[in-house]
Every structure is written in structure tokens, then in C-alpha cells.
Amino acid sequence: MHYDYLVVGSGLYGAVFAREANARGKSVLVVEKRPHVAGNIYTEKIGGIPVHKYGAHIFHTNNVRVWNYVTQFMQFNRFTNSPVANYRGELFSLPFNMYTFNKMWGVTTPREAMDKIEEQKREAGITNPRNLEEQAISLVGRELFEKLVKGYTEKQWGRDCKDLPAFIIRRLPVRLTFDNNYFNALYQGIPMGGYTRLVENLLEGIEVRLNTDYLEQREELDALADRVVYTGPIDGFYNYRLGALEYRSVRFETEVLDIPNFQGNAAVNYTDRETPWTRIIEHKWFVFGRDEEGKEFPGTVISREYSLEWKPGQEPYYPVNDEKNSALYAEYRKLADAEEKVLFGGRLGEYKYYDMDAVIAAALDFCDRELRR
């Protein structure tokens, strides 16, 4: 069979495009190198609990079009992200808010909190931040930086904060209220039943071939379609001929525990440098500790996350969008723009960190342009 479109990758970008192309009467084949659909938002059931296999994903958006689109395919619960920071056994509320400032300094009013932050900023005397450390201190003062930013950031990026560019932290949220909702978004939640089911619903009625590596079978697969929508790594598409783009990757240690409650929250960030993991996710709390029938899960599942430098064979998670890598991506982009048959999109195809709602918005915009042809 010959197809109008070959879609490489079954993550959100590829699944949305495949759905929209199919709805407009186009024939579509989706190929996926993994043994499952959904890319990094894949969830699998362990002891009945939907476990985010490739890291926690919390859907949040202010984009009404995106929210109306995604809720066609799944009902979402009302989960609100309120992470906790653990600094050497001390617990702090995130993002920075009045609960955080009260724990840190004993202050009880917004004016006291603001005065404390401004005092520390003045003491630092930084007017032209040269690196991430100076940028963060100039925004929130030294104490918040030392306890809640420094260690976590250095583990996340594998570099000292003095060696990271200032632009990585353009701003740090400071709330002079008791609002500990991490995302100031109109809509927020988790698909009831998990993200895998959401993507399966998007791909309903569309041919999907799993365990199929496009880059290993490119010539054969390209011959099957008029156009290719490629959502894999752009440098990998060109066999790294200009050099490899850099990413941070993540390793997960997942444990099934025969206890009802490990940490009492979905996410706890470990912000000291000595603790080797960046955070612990307790998956059951994304669904309020209950299955779809409302029954409480008797046990629990936790995942420790370890940030590491990406190497071939590992999953690339976070693009390192510094000047060097941005310049290299621009060169790959020139090659991509010259392609007549292949179109690049998504987190890896565009070497860009995307929140889920931004992925969907970008895919829908791409559909509006491409499917008018």
C-alpha cells in the first residue's frame, strides 16, 4: 500500500498530525521504534497504578484550543501540581511562596518576605549577571538560591552553576501569596486512565507499526509515502554528519512498595547536591491514590530520577540550548529546510524543549499549513 504520509514517531506531535491527516481523508502510516506508542508520555500499569515510565508529565495550558482538542479524546482529572523541596531533611513548598518564606525565615507577611529577599539581593550587589548563579542570586537572594536552586540545578545540568549561562534562569517565580500551585494555568490535570490511552485514542483507526526503526529502514519506508513527517532527532536523521547535538538524559529507578504511602506527595525535589537523585515521584498521587472505580491502591510505586549526560543509545530528554548547540542546530535546520519530501517537527526534530500543550499547539498549526496542500 502507498500512503500520503509516513509519520515517524508516535509521541504527541506525530499522533496529533496522524489524527488530523487521517480525518482529512489522507492515508497515514505511523512507525515507532519502541514496542509501544506515546513516546515519553507512555504510562504503564504496575499494581493497577498508572506509572509514568519516562518521567512525570502533568498537562497544563492556558490555550483553550488545545484544551478543547485534547479533551475530545480523554477526560482529565483535576490534579494540581504542588511539589515539595527536600533540602537535607527540611521540607519547603514550591514554587517560592509564603509557605516557603515562612519556613525559611519565619516571616508571616508579604512585606516581610519581600524585604528579606530585597535585603539579600542588595547584599549580593550583582548588576550584570555573568552566569546562572549570579542571575539566580540577583533574582531571589543567596539563601533561596543556596537551599532550593543550586544543588538541584547542578544535578539537572551536570555542571556548576557558575559554569552555566545566565539565560537558563531568566526568572524565578516568587509569589507573595499562599498559592502553591506550580502552574499558573487555566487548565491542568492528568488523563484518566493514563497518557497511553490518550495517544491510543488519537491513533484509533490509523495503521501503526511498532518496533520499527525508521533510520535503519529509511529507503524502504520512504518509498511507501509521498511525504514524511519526522519527529526523531534531527542530527540522527543526518547521521550526525555535522556533529552530535547535546542533551541531558534521565535514568529511573522504580520500586514497587508494599506500603500505602511513601512520601505523601506526587513529587518531592531533592535540592541538596549530596543526594544523587533529583526527585522522587510517587505515581499513585497523580490519581489521588485511587483506581478508576474509586478504590484505594493498597501499595505504591516510586521512581527516583537521576540526571545524566546523554550518550548514544540513551533517550535524549532535554536539549542543551546554549550558544554552541543552537549554532549547530541552525546548520542542521538549513539541511532540513532543503528537504523536499521530509518535514521535521516535535521536541527532537526541532531541538526544542516543549511542554505538552505547546507540542499539541505546534502540531495543530503545522496541520493547518501542511494539510491545506
Side-chain angles (χ1 to χ4, degrees):
M1 182 174 174
H2 195 79
Y3 302 87
D4 294 311
Y5 288 97
L6 170 69
V7 177
V8 180
S10 64
L12 271 177
Y13 193 99
V16 168
F17 179 83
R19 173 76 187 195
E20 292 306 296
N22 180 260
R24 288 165 170 81
K26 306 293 185 181
S27 54
V28 181
L29 169 64
V30 177
V31 295
E32 169 58 57
K33 71 177 181 179
R34 289 171 172 169
H36 57 74
V37 299
N40 282 0
I41 63 171
Y42 173 71
T43 48
E44 62 180 351
K45 295 285 184 71
I46 299 179
I49 299 170
V51 171
H52 300 227
K53 184 172 182 179
Y54 302 100
H57 289 80
I58 299 141
F59 195 89
H60 57 97
T61 188
N62 287 310
N63 189 320
V64 177
R65 182 193 186 195
V66 166
W67 182 250
N68 289 341
Y69 181 82
V70 76
T71 52
Q72 294 177 83
F73 305 101
M74 284 290 286
Q75 184 178 358
F76 281 62
N77 70 17
R78 56 174 181 77
F79 178 81
T80 299
N81 189 27
S82 301
V84 171
N86 183 318
Y87 177 78
R88 297 176 179 173
E90 288 187 277
L91 300 181
F92 296 90
S93 177
L94 294 176
F96 304 151
N97 64 77
M98 286 300 299
Y99 290 114
T100 320
F101 307 140
N102 175 261
K103 178 68 181 287
M104 185 79 70
W105 301 309
V107 299
T108 57
T109 68
R111 169 49 60 190
E112 289 175 311
M114 200 66 243
D115 287 347
K116 193 73 174 176
I117 292 170
E118 291 299 325
E119 175 190 341
Q120 293 195 2
K121 287 165 64 174
R122 284 194 304 272
E123 288 174 357
I126 299 167
T127 56
N128 184 28
R130 296 166 297 176
N131 52 52
L132 186 147
E133 178 169 316
E134 292 184 356
Q135 174 75 356
I137 292 171
S138 72
L139 291 171
V140 297
R142 183 167 295 279
E143 197 166 4
L144 282 169
F145 166 75
E146 292 286 349
K147 286 191 174 183
L148 303 182
V149 178
K150 178 177 170 64
Y152 188 89
T153 302
E154 290 182 347
K155 289 187 290 188
Q156 190 81 1
W157 290 99
R159 295 157 176 83
D160 191 285
C161 283
K162 292 186 178 71
D163 298 326
L164 289 167
F167 70 78
I168 290 179
I169 295 185
R170 290 187 175 89
R171 62 183 185 84
L172 285 168
V174 173
R175 297 182 186 166
L176 299 175
T177 67
F178 289 90
D179 177 12
N180 64 344
N181 178 356
Y182 195 83
F183 301 117
N184 273 330
L186 183 61
Y187 307 106
Q188 183 177 167
I190 305 282
M192 297 175 69
Y195 285 102
T196 303
R197 193 180 300 174
L198 167 64
V199 175
E200 288 172 344
N201 290 345
L202 281 164
L203 294 173
E204 185 176 1
I206 298 168
E207 184 179 352
V208 179
R209 297 184 189 176
L210 301 176
N211 299 301
T212 302
D213 191 324
Y214 168 77
L215 295 178
E216 291 182 358
Q217 305 173 46
R218 185 186 308 185
E219 187 174 345
E220 171 192 340
L221 291 169
D222 280 352
L224 297 178
D226 295 329
R227 306 271 275 176
V228 176
V229 176
Y230 176 82
T231 68
I234 189 170
D235 52 349
F237 181 88
Y238 291 104
N239 198 28
Y240 308 101
R241 72 169 75 158
L242 304 177
L245 292 164
E246 293 180 301
Y247 294 87
R248 293 295 291 173
S249 191
V250 184
R251 178 173 65 85
F252 303 94
E253 285 183 357
T254 297
E255 287 186 66
V256 181
L257 302 175
D258 190 22
I259 57 174
N261 192 345
F262 176 77
Q263 64 186 17
N265 202 50
V268 176
N269 295 356
Y270 285 77
T271 60
D272 61 275
R273 190 66 181 86
E274 297 77 18
T275 302
W277 54 83
T278 54
R279 65 177 180 175
I280 297 179
I281 298 299
E282 188 167 7
H283 299 270
K284 71 189 296 183
W285 302 124
F286 289 123
V287 291
F288 312 112
R290 299 173 181 271
D291 64 19
E292 292 176 69
E293 297 176 353
K295 296 178 182 176
E296 292 187 8
F297 296 117
T300 193
V301 181
I302 63 168
S303 295
R304 292 179 177 85
E305 298 185 7
Y306 300 80
S307 182
L308 62 153
E309 203 77 21
W310 175 82
K311 296 178 182 177
Q314 296 172 335
E315 179 61 29
Y317 281 88
Y318 305 106
V320 182
N321 293 125
D322 57 15
E323 290 183 16
K324 179 184 73 171
N325 284 286
S326 296
L328 180 57
Y329 168 69
E331 294 304 308
Y332 276 118
R333 188 73 246 179
K334 290 176 186 176
L335 297 177
D337 290 342
E339 297 284 344
E340 294 183 2
K341 180 175 178 175
V342 183
L343 305 156
F344 294 77
R347 175 179 60 94
L348 301 178
E350 298 177 54
Y351 193 64
K352 180 178 181 179
Y353 179 78
Y354 268 124
D355 284 329
M356 286 181 289
D357 65 325
V359 171
I360 294 170
L364 290 174
D365 288 344
F366 174 62
C367 291
D368 291 342
R369 297 191 305 272
E370 171 65 17
L371 296 176
R372 284 201 299 259
R373 295 173 66 253

